[in-house]
Amino acid sequence: SRELAGYLAALAGWVAALAAAVLPQWRQSSYAGDAIITAVGLHEGLWMSCAAQSTGQVQCRLHDSLLSLEVHIQTSRALMVISLLLGFFGIIVSVVGMKCTKVGEEDPVTKSRIAVAGGVLFVLSGLCTLAAVSLYATQVTYEFFRESTIPINARYEFGSALFVGWGASSLSMLGGSLLCCSCPAKERRGQQYHRQSQPSTAREYV
């Protein structure tokens, strides 16, 4: 049950990380200040930027060039892609290693080690997501509070995708930690004890 709970939590974290990577709300227009100077809400993400009109219409445009993007966006992109790849491999490896599956039942020690490897992949995936989201949030905070001629209600603040990313990293690391709790050493000792006890039992019957 512990492995299953960890797997479900890590899987939910991976799905949330995928949603966070796709969402364009990594930063959004700030409505702080005395007055709102525009009726258009601006959102920017890793892959596109969107403008929401007061009438409800939303227009999005993909970022034109990869090389023209700021360094923190390129870094966050790379970290999110690595996180999703690690999580994808963690899903496959964990299914093979969990005790509730029938793959590799003849070798429980190796099966437990595979489950631990899947947990490690999930933890690394969560760390990559945490690094990507935190790096982007740090840049947004710096640009918001630095001295500039731009009015405070025309700057950007945290978007909803950042909070989704933080939640995704927490779930991935929690689920990976639960999967890492599988200890193959105990099973190895029990297996050796079971093998050693069989010859003695046979001699007693003889």
Side-chain angles (χ1 to χ4, degrees):
S1 60
R2 181 175 56 190
E3 285 185 349
L4 183 59
Y7 179 77
L8 293 177
L11 181 61
W14 185 82
V15 173
L18 179 61
V22 175
L23 287 174
Q25 288 87 6
W26 280 63
R27 67 174 185 173
Q28 62 186 10
S29 300
S30 175
Y31 297 103
D34 298 331
I36 300 176
I37 64 174
T38 178
V40 179
L42 300 178
H43 305 276
E44 289 189 8
L46 298 180
W47 313 100
M48 66 180 68
S49 57
C50 298
Q53 305 287 339
S54 58
T55 57
Q57 295 180 342
V58 179
Q59 296 178 346
C60 295
R61 180 176 61 87
L62 294 174
H63 295 314
D64 295 331
S65 174
L66 173 64
L67 299 178
S68 64
L69 294 176
E70 298 181 13
V71 176
H72 72 281
I73 298 180
Q74 298 183 25
T75 307
S76 297
R77 270 188 178 187
L79 287 172
M80 289 303 296
V81 170
I82 294 173
S83 171
L84 293 175
L85 289 176
L86 289 173
F88 177 75
F89 289 117
I91 292 172
I92 298 175
V93 172
S94 298
V95 169
V96 177
M98 286 194 304
K99 297 177 182 178
C100 58
T101 59
K102 296 184 178 181
V103 181
E105 285 182 327
E106 63 278 358
D107 193 352
V109 175
T110 304
K111 192 174 178 67
S112 297
R113 289 176 179 173
I114 294 175
V116 172
V120 172
L121 289 174
F122 278 125
V123 171
L124 293 177
S125 174
L127 289 175
C128 288
T129 303
L130 178 63
V133 175
S134 299
L135 175 64
Y136 197 98
T138 301
Q139 185 66 25
V140 172
T141 304
Y142 169 74
E143 293 179 356
F144 186 87
F145 288 105
R146 71 176 178 179
E147 296 182 1
S148 176
T149 57
I150 301 175
I152 190 171
N153 50 8
R155 302 178 187 179
Y156 288 94
E157 60 184 15
F158 293 171
S160 57
L162 294 181
F163 300 99
V164 174
W166 278 318
S169 63
S170 301
L171 286 174
S172 296
M173 289 188 289
L174 175 62
S177 300
L178 291 176
L179 287 172
C180 288
C181 291
S182 300
C183 185
K186 294 181 180 180
E187 293 185 3
R188 189 189 309 114
R189 287 195 298 267
Q191 191 175 18
Q192 291 177 354
Y193 176 78
H194 178 70
R195 290 178 178 177
Q196 292 175 359
S197 62
Q198 284 182 346
S200 61
T201 305
R203 293 194 198 99
E204 289 177 2
Y205 279 109
V206 173

